[in-house]
Amino acid sequence: NTRVYLIRGYAYGELKNYQQEIADYSEAIRLAPQLAKAYRSRGFAYGILQNYQQAIADFDQAIKLNPNYTQAYYNRGCIYNSLLERQKALADFCQVIKLNAGNIAAYYHRACIYNLQEKYQQAIADFSEVIRLNPDHAKAYSGRGKANLKLKYHRRAIIDFSQAILLNPQDLQSIYNQGQAYHQLKDYRNALASYDEVIRIQPELASVYQDRAHIYGTLKDYPQAIADYSTAINLNPENAETYYNRGSA
């Protein structure tokens, strides 16, 4: 009987009928209260419904019943990450990696947390492991590029952003960050090309017009600088610095 509820609960989940999924897993738990899988599965459904505290309680119970339950640690880590409880999330992702050194998602999430914590060398190590395990992981190249950029390893960052863009040509953040790396290297031609591409894809980002205007000002192309600062002001009239920069141009 327990197996029937588990199978039907899974089917409800596939149909996105999460309340029925939870009901079936709850019945499975009533029949077999030591079944860690049922708690983990119900916790996952609670997480989708953003009932995070109930999800955490279920993952806690699943881990209590099975201390080596990799998926429960991973799922709980994702919930903690959503709640911005970074240290708890980090601890769970570390445990996942300890139990399964090939878990790409855990390395990726841990690397992202390291980036947020400004632990860039550790982030680079984890993103590199993701890339080793999956050379087509565009977000890992992008994340590693951000860490390299923060450390002012501009050439390494450009290589990473280039690979991310090759894998995902619509990756605005990588295109913009690549522009930032070129900009910081004073490679204005390539920086302009990156900013142009961002604007082509998403023409309503005031900050990109400001960055492009700064380059035009540096190159003494003042009419273009003024035009870009004016566009930035139209998009974001509250930024006083943009008015000052336009006046200076």
Side-chain angles (χ1 to χ4, degrees):
N1 283 346
T2 304
R3 186 168 178 273
V4 171
Y5 284 111
L6 289 174
I7 292 170
R8 194 171 70 175
Y10 176 82
Y12 278 131
E14 290 292 295
L15 295 170
K16 297 181 169 46
N17 188 342
Y18 301 116
Q19 294 293 356
Q20 286 295 332
E21 179 185 13
I22 288 167
D24 272 359
Y25 289 139
S26 296
E27 186 60 22
I29 288 166
R30 187 186 69 80
L31 293 169
Q34 302 303 309
L35 193 61
K37 180 180 179 181
Y39 287 101
R40 203 288 307 175
S41 297
R42 189 175 69 176
F44 186 78
Y46 277 130
I48 291 172
L49 295 176
Q50 298 183 352
N51 188 342
Y52 295 132
Q53 294 309 317
Q54 193 64 54
I56 289 168
D58 274 353
F59 295 139
D60 287 348
Q61 185 62 23
I63 290 164
K64 182 179 178 182
L65 292 168
N66 178 3
N68 294 322
Y69 201 162
T70 306
Q71 195 63 39
Y73 285 107
Y74 175 76
N75 292 145
R76 190 175 67 178
C78 289
I79 296 292
Y80 282 135
N81 215 9
S82 297
L83 295 172
L84 307 183
E85 295 188 45
R86 305 296 189 197
Q87 282 305 122
K88 290 182 178 180
L90 196 61
D92 276 346
F93 294 136
C94 286
Q95 185 63 22
V96 172
I97 290 165
K98 182 179 176 182
L99 292 168
N100 176 11
N103 192 303
I104 293 172
Y107 279 110
Y108 176 75
H109 287 303
R110 189 172 73 172
C112 290
I113 292 173
Y114 284 143
N115 256 356
L116 290 169
Q117 294 179 334
E118 300 181 2
K119 296 177 179 177
Y120 300 120
Q121 293 290 4
Q122 289 165 273
I124 287 168
D126 273 0
F127 283 128
S128 297
E129 185 61 15
V130 173
I131 290 164
R132 186 186 71 81
L133 293 167
N134 178 9
D136 293 329
H137 199 299
K139 289 183 178 180
Y141 288 103
S142 182
R144 190 172 70 178
K146 289 178 193 174
N148 278 318
L149 185 58
K150 288 290 186 179
L151 293 171
K152 301 191 183 303
Y153 300 153
H154 298 103
R155 296 295 179 191
R156 295 181 192 176
I158 288 165
I159 291 168
D160 278 341
F161 293 134
S162 296
Q163 188 62 28
I165 294 162
L166 183 66
L167 292 166
N168 178 12
Q170 300 299 309
D171 183 357
L172 278 182
Q173 193 63 56
S174 289
I175 299 168
Y176 175 73
N177 286 336
Q178 186 183 58
Q180 290 279 289
Y182 281 128
H183 197 158
Q184 290 174 26
L185 285 172
K186 299 183 180 180
D187 182 346
Y188 298 129
R189 183 179 64 83
N190 280 314
L192 284 173
S194 294
Y195 294 150
D196 288 348
E197 182 64 8
V198 174
I199 289 167
R200 185 189 70 78
I201 297 171
Q202 175 52 274
E204 296 182 356
L205 297 172
S207 61
V208 186
Y209 288 100
Q210 289 174 298
D211 289 324
R212 193 171 69 174
H214 178 266
I215 292 177
Y216 283 134
T218 302
L219 297 175
K220 300 187 182 341
D221 187 344
Y222 299 119
Q224 286 284 10
I226 290 167
D228 271 357
Y229 282 130
S230 296
T231 302
I233 288 166
N234 288 335
L235 292 168
N236 182 14
E238 306 301 320
N239 191 329
E241 184 182 355
T242 313
Y243 292 95
Y244 175 81
N245 289 335
R246 185 173 67 175
S248 299

